[in-house]
Amino acid sequence: QKRRSEARVRRMPASKGAAGFCWQAVERALERARGANALRDIPTVPRRHGKFVLRLSENLRQKPKLEEASGVGPISRPKRPDPFERNNLDPDLVVCDLGSGHTVLLNKFPVVSPHLLVVTRDFEPQTDLSAADYGACLSVLGQWRGEDGGLAFYNSGPHSGMSQPHRHVQVVPNPPSCYEREVEEAVEGRAPEDGPVPVPGLPFLALACLVDAQSPRAPEVLASLAKRARDLLPPRNPASASPSSSSSYNLLLTTRWWVFVPRTSAEVGPLGVNALGFAGQFLLRTQEERDHALGVQGGLDLVLAQAGVPAQT
């Protein structure tokens, strides 16, 4: 908690990467969406399980999932209606446009509030984020209200836990992360231009980089990191991973740090894992998932190692 408080003291307002975002627009959109019954809130009860937070809700079954049988891959257009296509947007969920390239939306199925989506105006695949994407995310994170700021997370590739192939970054209130101490120690004393470095002490492989959110070069620097991180990964065993797993990863981003987690599996047993799992947060749809999370041999650290790449010892 001390390190988290120190990070808050160091946090400065990020420079705007794109014009058009202000927090008042979020408040107005929330009021409008609630008045129109446009939000399908998913009530959950958080439960501490060691260093993790588990949220159980049967209602998560109502949220549409990307069907593997649809043939949608990380670089293809969706074969079913794209909810983020401009003509398909629910106007009650639109927060604002960010420049000419992005739109900020309310998540229709929020577990926490606010839960925002930074979506490309035109279809782009859920692959590496561009400098413009990062600029839009920093614009949102830089004006986030709340003591701990916001957390942006991104699911890239079929084994990442992504639910939509149209490029979108999600932003939620920054939860207390069980791995934040390790990330802070890894980036301490480094410069953003130094690039990503391995994060010691985690059960899964992760690379982190310091973020200077005020720098006008921040979006450009961030856009170079995913490729630099992949170049640092150990050689993969072709016999133990599917060809598409090498392109899957999760990102976590605050105004202080960036974290890259390579993925090999979207699910471990009945548990689906997306980027928030690597911040210590699990959404559990069923009693079976809760029982598995509470009783899995090796604990949730092992689940994350199996969903990602086990840390080398």
Side-chain angles (χ1 to χ4, degrees):
Q1 292 298 327
K2 180 180 178 182
R3 185 172 294 273
R4 189 177 180 86
S5 299
E6 291 172 349
R8 279 204 302 271
V9 172
R10 289 192 294 264
R11 181 182 291 116
M12 298 291 289
S15 59
K16 286 189 178 182
F21 181 81
C22 66
W23 194 255
Q24 289 76 12
V26 176
E27 295 172 338
R28 290 193 297 267
L30 284 169
E31 182 178 3
R32 182 179 64 247
R34 287 170 179 151
N37 293 319
L39 297 176
R40 293 171 60 182
D41 296 84
I42 300 172
T44 61
V45 178
R47 171 177 174 175
R48 297 292 308 190
H49 180 57
K51 60 187 176 184
F52 299 97
V53 174
L54 309 180
R55 292 179 177 269
L56 175 66
S57 175
E58 291 283 341
N59 292 339
L60 278 176
R61 291 177 175 177
Q62 299 174 7
K63 183 178 179 180
K65 297 181 70 177
L66 185 67
E67 297 294 337
E68 294 181 4
S70 68
V72 174
I75 58 173
S76 62
R77 285 182 175 272
K79 291 188 177 181
R80 56 189 176 87
D82 178 1
F84 302 146
E85 184 178 335
R86 194 72 178 169
N87 293 334
N88 294 337
L89 294 180
D90 182 342
D92 290 321
L93 299 178
V94 175
V95 175
C96 64
D97 287 329
L98 286 178
S100 61
H102 297 83
T103 301
V104 180
L105 307 173
L106 300 177
N107 187 348
K108 186 177 182 66
F109 304 93
V111 174
V112 296
S113 182
H115 185 158
L116 305 185
L117 307 174
V118 180
V119 178
T120 55
R121 294 278 294 274
D122 298 322
F123 179 86
E124 296 288 344
Q126 198 82 339
T127 51
D128 288 356
L129 296 175
S130 68
D133 297 328
Y134 277 113
C137 292
L138 290 177
S139 179
V140 174
L141 289 171
Q143 298 189 55
W144 195 272
R145 297 280 178 87
E147 185 179 37
D148 293 318
L151 173 71
F153 65 97
Y154 184 62
N155 306 311
S156 178
H159 296 273
S160 67
M162 76 172 189
S163 60
Q164 294 290 341
H166 186 135
R167 186 173 300 173
H168 64 289
V169 179
Q170 305 183 60
V171 192
V172 296
N174 192 12
S177 171
C178 56
Y179 301 121
E180 189 167 5
R181 177 179 59 83
E182 289 86 350
V183 171
E184 287 281 350
E185 290 177 352
V187 302
E188 191 71 40
R190 301 185 62 84
E193 291 75 12
D194 293 339
V197 294
V199 181
L202 302 182
F204 50 87
L205 178 62
L207 297 103
C209 185
L210 190 72
V211 172
D212 180 2
Q214 287 189 297
S215 169
R217 292 194 63 244
E220 178 185 349
V221 171
L222 286 166
S224 72
L225 294 181
K227 181 181 184 305
R228 295 171 71 180
R230 281 194 293 269
D231 290 344
L232 295 174
L233 297 180
R236 299 289 300 281
N237 180 358
S240 62
S242 65
S244 59
S245 65
S246 61
S247 64
S248 296
Y249 60 87
N250 294 131
L251 295 180
L252 299 171
L253 175 68
T254 70
T255 55
R256 167 128 179 106
W257 42 255
W258 172 98
V259 176
F260 175 98
V261 181
R263 294 293 300 274
T264 55
S265 176
E267 297 179 341
V268 178
L271 295 179
V273 181
N274 69 6
L276 281 181
F278 297 93
Q281 308 283 315
F282 284 85
L283 303 180
L284 308 177
R285 292 185 288 267
T286 65
Q287 186 68 40
E288 179 189 15
E289 291 180 356
R290 186 177 72 168
D291 292 343
H292 189 84
L294 294 174
V296 61
Q297 187 174 4
L300 291 173
D301 277 332
L302 180 59
V303 167
L304 294 175
Q306 292 173 337
V309 175
Q312 294 180 320
T313 57

